[in-house]
Amino acid sequence: MLGKYISSKHSQRVAWALMWGAGAITILILLTIIVYVLVNGIPEIGWSFLTTPPAGGLDETGGISTIIVSTIYLIALTIGILLIPGIGAGIYLAEYA
């Protein structure tokens, strides 16, 4: 019933404005969270935090050295497993598909 009073072009502009507004609000919330984490987290990062192993628990002691090494191992393993199939898929897509 409302459709006969509002033109299609007008309703499309309203829909686009709502979509852009929702996107802008989402990005604003994301940026707020990122800034909050950076402001409260950067003062806590130091050389000892990066190079000492975790002390265990949630008592805010220790560091993240073992997590960094584990992440490097995981990335190397993933690259090692997927390098050959990735090159093969690239060649197939470039030459045959």
Side-chain angles (χ1 to χ4, degrees), residues 27-51:
I27 290 173
L28 182 66
I29 291 170
L30 177 66
L31 289 176
T32 303
I33 292 170
I34 289 172
V35 167
Y36 175 79
V37 169
L38 288 176
V39 165
N40 292 325
I42 286 181
E44 301 297 325
I45 296 176
W47 189 249
S48 64
F49 178 70
L50 295 174
T51 57

Side-chain angles (χ1 to χ4, degrees), residues 2-90:
L2 188 61
K4 65 182 179 180
Y5 297 111
I6 300 174
S7 69
S8 174
K9 189 170 189 112
H10 181 69
S11 62
Q12 184 177 6
R13 286 185 180 180
V14 170
W16 274 109
L18 290 174
M19 293 296 286
W20 276 101
I25 290 171
T26 303
I27 290 173
L28 182 66
I29 291 170
L30 177 66
L31 289 176
T32 303
I33 292 170
I34 289 172
V35 167
Y36 175 79
V37 169
L38 288 176
V39 165
N40 292 325
I42 286 181
E44 301 297 325
I45 296 176
W47 189 249
S48 64
F49 178 70
L50 295 174
T51 57
T52 57
L58 297 174
D59 55 357
E60 298 179 5
T61 59
I64 59 170
S65 66
T66 55
I67 292 111
I68 293 173
V69 172
S70 299
T71 302
I72 292 170
Y73 284 154
L74 182 63
I75 291 170
L77 180 66
T78 304
I79 290 172
I81 292 172
L82 296 178
L83 186 65
I84 301 300
I87 291 172

